[in-house]
Amino acid sequence: MGKVVSAEVFLLHRKTIVLATAYGRPAQVRGHVIVKLTDENGLCGWGEATPLPKFTGETPEFVQYVLEKELISEIIGVDAADLWEARNRWNHKLPEHAAAKMALEAAFYDLAAKERKLPLYQMFGGKLREKVMINRHLGIMGIDEAVEKAVQYREQGYHSIKMKIGTDVEEDIRRVCAVRDAVGYEMKLRVDANAGYSYSDAYKFIRKTSDLDLEMYEQLLDKHDFNGTKQLKRDTGVVIGVDEAINTVQEAVRYAYERAADVFVLKLVKTGGIQNAVTISEIAASAGIRCVVTSTYDTQINGAVCLHLASSLPASTMSNDITCYATQPDMADTCHVLKDGYLTVGDEAGIGVRSLKEMKIV
């Protein structure tokens, strides 16, 4: 194995499809922080953080600063295979800073896998599934537009749609009912309120949509409302997912122990990286809780990391939010193949990303 001899940080801005949610209607441009680690043998590992300020308080510019000024210096000279040493160093240097640490950790994993000449999924014990179903997404929009897009996704061969809700419960009910009527019941359909509902609105939404066979009701309540989420699950009997509420291993333990949710949404940007996400998924599996692996408007760098995870985690049995392969198909060259709503994980060493449109990777 080789020691890390250099590290570079890049900040990219690219146009993408950013959904209107209960948080508002954001600009259609995202900032991506890319990390490149090079070992003494000339191999390179790549990681990415596309932060969500509403989740961790980090912006792309802030992540870049923390990496360049605080964390990068800590890992020079560490063997690429010694992930525990790397984590100990950056965690000792600074607490928190989940997005910055996830980019570093992913780059270490990519580099270590390439040194072993293994695809990344082998670092997680091997793949359990050859291909992973992905969701297409509908932001908060007018009913006619939502129906039109949903029908297009069905005709393009996708099998699962995730709809954003959480601002106007009556309008949300009408929109979700219209989409279900348009796409039929063979299409999987789930909703995500991004913590936008009160308990009464959440209960009303569930009651009015209980006959629509929705696959999951994700983060209906405020992330701090543990008791409300637990009660909502018990009062309604529907499949309750938590996203904003599950950032740490400790939070996962609490939800699992008290059976307060049915699905955990895994975002590396909030867990602080791969290892914590794997630990949370193991907690979930032990409690019979399923997981959804989600990238955050990323480029294919983190999208590929999420794909490798989704193919290998026992609890990841639902469709996953790895949509950059559908929304930005010409923005990267990878060994992974999207067809008929499924991503097939490739077998090249590391994460399997050869290049981004903006830069050469291998």
Side-chain angles (χ1 to χ4, degrees):
M1 299 294 103
K3 295 181 178 180
V4 175
V5 296
S6 70
E8 299 173 79
V9 181
F10 309 90
L11 178 57
L12 304 179
H13 287 92
R14 72 163 48 165
K15 292 182 179 180
T16 187
I17 298 173
V18 185
L19 302 178
T21 71
Y23 294 127
R25 188 175 298 275
Q28 300 299 294
V29 175
R30 299 295 294 187
H32 310 277
V33 182
I34 310 296
V35 173
K36 176 186 178 183
L37 301 182
T38 304
D39 72 5
E40 57 192 334
N41 302 312
L43 290 174
C44 297
W46 295 83
E48 175 189 356
T50 302
L52 296 175
K54 296 293 185 180
F55 281 70
T56 67
E58 296 164 282
T59 65
E61 293 76 14
F62 182 62
V63 170
Q64 180 186 27
Y65 177 87
V66 168
L67 285 167
E68 292 180 339
K69 302 299 183 181
E70 300 290 343
L71 299 183
I72 287 295
S73 60
E74 297 298 310
I75 52 87
I76 299 299
V78 176
D79 194 293
D82 198 349
L83 283 163
W84 287 113
E85 174 64 18
R87 287 192 201 97
N88 285 339
R89 289 193 181 195
W90 65 59
N91 287 331
H92 179 75
K93 179 68 175 182
L94 283 178
E96 307 301 333
H97 300 288
K101 291 175 180 178
M102 71 163 280
L104 269 182
E105 189 187 50
F108 263 93
Y109 265 100
D110 185 34
L111 184 54
K114 286 174 179 174
E115 288 184 340
R116 291 172 169 84
K117 299 181 180 179
L118 296 173
L120 184 61
Y121 61 75
Q122 294 289 6
M123 304 287 285
F124 312 135
K127 59 184 174 183
L128 295 173
R129 48 197 73 88
E130 294 289 333
K131 59 184 181 179
V132 172
M133 187 189 297
I134 67 168
N135 296 307
R136 294 308 307 266
H137 295 78
L138 296 174
I140 294 175
M141 59 184 68
I143 292 175
D144 291 344
E145 183 182 3
V147 166
E148 181 181 3
K149 286 182 177 293
V151 171
Q152 287 176 356
Y153 294 153
R154 184 189 62 186
E155 292 175 347
Q156 291 166 1
Y158 294 97
H159 310 282
S160 181
I161 291 175
K162 175 176 174 176
M163 296 184 66
K164 294 291 187 177
I165 58 173
T167 53
D168 182 330
V169 65
E170 297 293 349
E171 181 69 10
D172 291 342
I173 291 167
R174 288 190 289 270
R175 186 170 65 256
V176 174
C177 287
V179 168
R180 172 55 87 196
D181 184 60
V183 300
Y185 282 80
E186 291 185 3
M187 175 74 78
K188 294 181 184 297
L189 190 62
R190 67 180 67 160
V191 294
D192 177 11
N194 288 111
Y197 281 156
S198 65
Y199 188 94
S200 60
D201 280 348
Y203 188 87
K204 178 189 291 186
F205 180 88
I206 292 172
R207 184 168 56 85
K208 293 287 188 178
T209 59
S210 60
D211 61 344
L212 299 183
D213 192 27
L214 298 185
E215 185 182 29
M216 175 173 64
Y217 294 77
E218 182 179 329
Q219 201 62 59
L220 298 184
L221 305 180
D222 184 271
K223 67 179 181 179
H224 300 296
D225 192 358
F226 175 86
N227 290 330
T229 299
K230 179 180 176 181
Q231 190 64 41
L232 193 65
K233 171 176 158 56
R234 293 183 176 181
D235 285 351
T236 64
V238 300
V239 176
I240 296 293
V242 284
D243 181 4
E244 284 91 335
I246 297 288
N247 295 334
T248 67
V249 171
Q250 291 78 9
E251 289 166 340
V253 168
R254 185 186 186 195
Y255 270 89
Y257 179 75
E258 299 207 28
R259 299 294 193 269
D262 304 287
V263 181
F264 288 170
V265 178
L266 303 179
K267 285 188 175 86
L268 303 184
V269 74
K270 61 176 183 168
T271 65
I274 294 167
Q275 185 57 54
N276 287 342
V278 171
T279 300
I280 290 171
S281 76
E282 291 171 345
I283 293 167
S286 71
I289 294 170
R290 292 175 289 174
C291 290
V292 172
V293 180
T294 302
S295 63
T296 56
Y297 304 107
D298 300 289
T299 73
Q300 278 83 347
I301 292 177
N302 196 54
V305 174
C306 291
L307 173 59
H308 282 277
L309 275 174
S311 72
S312 62
L313 298 181
S316 181
T317 57
M318 304 174 71
S319 55
N320 296 274
D321 297 327
I322 313 174
T323 58
C324 61
Y325 284 86
T327 58
Q328 301 178 23
D330 301 323
M331 299 296 283
D333 178 22
T334 81
C335 67
H336 313 302
V337 178
L338 174 62
K339 183 178 180 181
D340 297 329
Y342 287 86
L343 268 172
T344 299
V345 61
D347 293 323
E348 292 182 10
I351 61 175
V353 177
R354 301 161 185 152
S355 67
L356 294 183
K357 186 175 182 180
E358 295 89 346
M359 62 177 62
K360 183 178 179 180
I361 300 298
V362 296

